[in-house]
Amino acid sequence: MIHEIIPVGLLQCNCSIFGDEQSLQAIVIDPGDEIQNILAILEKHSLQVQAIVITHAHIDHIGGAAKLKAATGAPVFMNPNDLELYDHLDMQASWLGMETPERTTIDTELRAGDSLALGDADFHVLHTPGHTQGSISLWIPSENKLIAGDTLFRDSIGRTDLPGGDGRQILRSIHDKLLPLPDDVIVIPGHGETTTIGREKRFNYFLQGLSRS
Ligand SMILES: [Zn+2]
């Protein structure tokens, strides 16, 4: 499996590009911005995008979705609980002093228990609300990887002070959905460095006491 992670945009959102070497199909997760760079990677590997997946509707994760969809024709997947947040993209842009990016339609609603296939790999949707109500994580067992969006970071967790955020709920999501995964699972957060479930169980200050309860 091809997997490239590129930080995009003002807030350096980690955009993941997964490509199956056999079928040359790809899944792009969180194309926040800098679509030209994403397209260049797709071209380098001769990949065709079959799905654009959004972990949550914050502008730094979804801002480039319309452009990528226009360039590739691929459908956009997101949890419906974040549709309201997506409707307020202009407000999000004003917080960051950015221009409001073009909005697109969500083609397929992703819910807990759904999965997307890419080659032999399955991308399982875990609903992990708390950072936003529609936040999802993607668990890819054959790759031993978790795409965590802004739910879990190396040494931190997602902020919950923005509209739709809930501090107790994000901890419950992490405890119930993420910490049960094997310790050696590689976690790709929405921003910053990669980590593992085991490392965060041990060292993440915000999770202390959580893994035992
Ligand atoms: Zn976010």
Side-chain angles (χ1 to χ4, degrees), residues 192-204:
E193 277 179 83
T194 293
T195 182
T196 63
I197 290 290
R199 187 190 179 282
E200 295 317 301
K201 264 188 198 165
R202 209 162 311 137
F203 299 118
N204 190 319

Side-chain angles (χ1 to χ4, degrees), residues 56 58 60-61 131-132 150 162 191:
H56 64 291
H58 279 155
D60 50 323
H61 295 256
H131 176 62
T132 67
D150 282 0
L162 296 171
H191 304 268

Side-chain angles (χ1 to χ4, degrees), residues 5-20:
I5 304 167
I6 54 164
V8 293
L10 190 67
L11 299 177
Q12 295 285 282
C13 163
N14 284 328
C15 171
S16 268
I17 300 159
F18 285 94
D20 174 51

